Amino acid sequence: MTIAFDTIDEAAVRDCEERLKLAMLASDVSALDALLADDLIIIDHQGRRVDKAQDIEVHRTGVLKLADIEFLDVAIKPLDNAALVSVRAKVSGAYYDEKFSEKLIYTRVWQRNGDSWIVVLAHFSRITM
């Protein structure tokens, strides 16, 4: 069954993006677990493929500590039962205790999962803007 995408759904996806951002900042592994598909595929800024367990583990262990994520703009393209999201952001924190501050662009595919939304694919790259 195809579920029509409307402005309420776009608002829900924007809310999910905000919840994902807050979960990443807090390294809230329970929230991340709920927002990320079990078969999630992430391609990071170095072209490495990362799965859900690996992504959550860097938060759980403190390897990745995000200090700030500032969304510069968010674009959402509705699809049947899914949404493509592009987010430009300024991100700062520490990775293995090495501080960083980057401008990144994220592309995520959110898929409706019952009454909620989950990320099934993500990619991010450094940008110079």
Side-chain angles (χ1 to χ4, degrees):
M1 176 174 121
T2 300
I3 299 171
F5 199 96
D6 58 26
T7 56
I8 294 171
D9 292 323
E10 185 172 334
V13 172
R14 284 185 184 277
D15 180 62
C16 288
E17 279 289 334
E18 185 65 23
R19 289 177 32 226
L20 180 61
K21 177 176 105 172
L22 294 174
M24 290 167 52
L25 283 167
S27 289
D28 182 342
V29 296
S30 294
L32 289 169
D33 185 52
L35 290 166
L36 304 176
D38 290 340
D39 59 351
L40 172 71
I41 298 171
I42 300 171
I43 306 300
D44 73 9
H45 66 289
Q46 295 181 326
R48 295 176 295 206
R49 187 175 297 150
V50 178
D51 64 21
K52 177 179 179 174
Q54 293 167 310
D55 186 55
I56 288 178
E57 189 64 15
V58 297
H59 288 280
R60 182 188 331 275
T61 60
V63 166
L64 176 63
K65 298 174 189 169
L66 296 172
D68 190 38
I69 301 172
E70 177 189 351
F71 284 178
L72 302 173
D73 64 49
V74 178
I76 298 174
K77 179 176 176 52
L79 301 171
D80 288 343
N81 213 35
L84 301 176
V85 178
S86 174
V87 177
R88 287 187 313 142
K90 291 181 184 176
V91 180
S92 62
Y95 186 69
Y96 282 104
D97 294 323
E98 187 174 321
K99 291 187 179 188
F100 68 88
S101 180
E102 299 280 351
K103 292 178 186 172
L104 302 171
I105 189 160
Y106 293 88
T107 304
R108 288 189 265 268
V109 177
W110 288 88
Q111 185 174 43
R112 191 186 300 265
N113 184 29
D115 292 334
S116 61
W117 291 87
I118 56 173
V119 178
V120 295
L121 179 81
H123 176 269
F124 65 99
S125 299
R126 289 184 179 119
I127 55 175
T128 57
M129 348 187 308

